[in-house]
């Protein structure tokens, strides 16, 4: 079932006309390692997790298979050490303090930790992320960080008008010639996200089924 679902997602991605490279992240929060193993057996490499403790258990259970782990959930400061030690990408950085901690705690013998800034693109009070006006102010600070590398942005738009929000996100990325990564699009709106320049899509329920 999971293998068929992955094939369907690849079909959906390929059906959308796009020039950029699009990488599928399988979002596996709340799902057991055995489900992830099915996806791995079908060729899936990138996994996204929201909750640190369950993510660490799955990373341990599935090690040795060349997987690329993405942390995509809210980050409390007391969790940054383990995130810095166990992930390749973090999509949900929304304040300088967290970026600094990840930089200081990334082990020197590992490759740089790839960072995306989460943007609250629709300025919604219930959502985390930087406001658009705060982006310019935070970006120059990344020049001081040796162990992390800022790549681009992540957003979770309001579903009522996600196409406009994805387009806005693409315009923001365009302002920064050194950045090239846009993490946007979930099960219900991946086509719109790709049309608007997404380079990572984060798909959970359409691969693993509904979450409890
Ligand atoms: C859960 C989650 C997803 C996947 O959502 P689906 O609708 O299940 O595809 C993507 N991104 C983030 C940040 C999530 O928390």
């Amino acid at each position: 079932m999971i293998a068929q679902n992955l094939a369907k997602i690849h079909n959906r991605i390929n059906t959308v006309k796009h020039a950029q490279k699009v990488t599928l992240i399988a979002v596996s929060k709340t799902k057991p390692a055995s489900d992830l193993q099915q996806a791995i057996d079908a060729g899936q490499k990138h996994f996204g997790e929201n909750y640190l403790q369950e993510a660490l258990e799955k990373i341990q259970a599935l090690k040795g298979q060349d997987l690329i782990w993405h942390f995509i959930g809210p980050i409390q400061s007391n969790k940054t050490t383990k995130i810095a030690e166990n992930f390749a990408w973090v999509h949900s950085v929304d304040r300088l303090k967290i970026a600094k901690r990840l930089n200081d705690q990334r082990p020197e013998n590992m490759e740089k930790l790839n960072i995306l800034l989460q943007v609250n693109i629709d300025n919604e009070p219930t959502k985390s992320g930087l406001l658009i006006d705060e982006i310019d102010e935070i970006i120059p600070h990344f020049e001081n960080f040796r162990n992390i590398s800022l790549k681009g942005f992540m957003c979770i738009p309001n579903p009522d008008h996600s196409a406009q929000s994805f387009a806005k996100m693409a315009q923001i990325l365009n302002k920064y010639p050194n950045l090239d990564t846009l993490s946007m699009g979930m099960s219900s709106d991946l086509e719109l996200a790709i049309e608007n320049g997404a380079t990572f899509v984060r798909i959970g329920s359409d691969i693993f089924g509904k979450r409890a």
Side-chain angles (χ1 to χ4, degrees):
M1 195 59 178
I2 289 171
Q4 286 161 327
N5 289 344
L6 275 169
K8 279 188 209 157
I9 297 292
H10 283 295
N11 265 329
R12 283 173 65 188
I13 293 172
N14 292 331
T15 304
V16 187
K17 212 171 127 198
H18 58 277
Q20 77 277 22
K21 179 167 189 273
V22 178
T23 299
L24 170 60
I25 299 175
V27 174
S28 41
K29 58 176 178 249
T30 78
K31 300 295 177 180
S34 54
D35 282 8
L36 283 74
Q37 187 62 55
Q38 286 186 48
I40 296 163
D41 293 343
Q44 183 63 29
K45 290 280 183 204
H46 291 258
F47 290 89
E49 288 280 345
N50 295 58
Y51 310 111
L52 182 61
Q53 196 49 49
E54 63 157 305
L56 294 176
E57 287 165 20
K58 286 179 246 184
I59 291 170
Q60 178 62 24
L62 299 167
K63 67 172 189 269
Q65 303 189 86
D66 279 331
L67 305 179
I68 300 144
W69 292 95
H70 300 250
F71 193 83
I72 64 173
I75 305 175
Q76 298 154 283
S77 352
N78 63 344
K79 302 285 167 65
T80 51
T81 309
K82 290 288 179 194
I83 294 173
E85 289 172 353
N86 288 281
F87 287 80
W89 288 80
V90 183
H91 294 224
S92 39
V93 174
D94 63 357
R95 53 201 194 277
L96 192 58
K97 180 187 169 191
I98 295 294
K100 182 173 185 335
R101 289 176 67 92
L102 291 170
N103 178 67
D104 294 347
Q105 294 163 346
R106 179 68 165 179
E108 296 274 350
N109 64 344
M110 293 179 78
E111 281 177 28
K112 287 186 186 190
L113 178 61
N114 296 301
I115 301 290
L116 302 178
L117 293 172
Q118 182 169 352
V119 178
N120 185 351
I121 189 70
D122 296 309
N123 200 354
E124 294 175 288
T126 56
K127 280 193 186 149
S128 42
L130 293 159
L131 299 176
I132 294 172
D133 293 343
E134 296 170 324
I135 297 173
D136 263 338
E137 135 71 21
I138 191 171
I139 284 186
H141 292 279
F142 279 81
E143 282 170 29
N144 304 322
F145 297 143
R146 291 176 48 227
N147 303 318
I148 62 177
S149 176
L150 180 63
K151 298 292 189 187
F153 304 105
M154 181 271 250
C155 70
I156 307 172
N158 183 315
D160 292 340
H161 49 76
S162 49
Q164 284 109 299
S165 306
F166 291 147
K168 231 195 289 178
M169 205 61 257
Q171 279 176 8
I172 293 170
L173 183 77
N174 252 329
K175 287 174 50 187
Y176 304 99
N178 297 332
L179 305 181
D180 62 7
T181 305
L182 276 186
S183 168
M184 56 190 200
M186 315 201 315
S187 292
S188 56
D189 56 14
L190 75 90
E191 288 87 354
L192 291 174
I194 293 170
E195 280 169 21
N196 286 287
T199 59
F200 282 129
V201 291
R202 311 180 308 269
I203 311 300
S205 42
D206 279 1
I207 296 174
F208 296 110
K210 281 209 167 60
R211 291 176 292 272

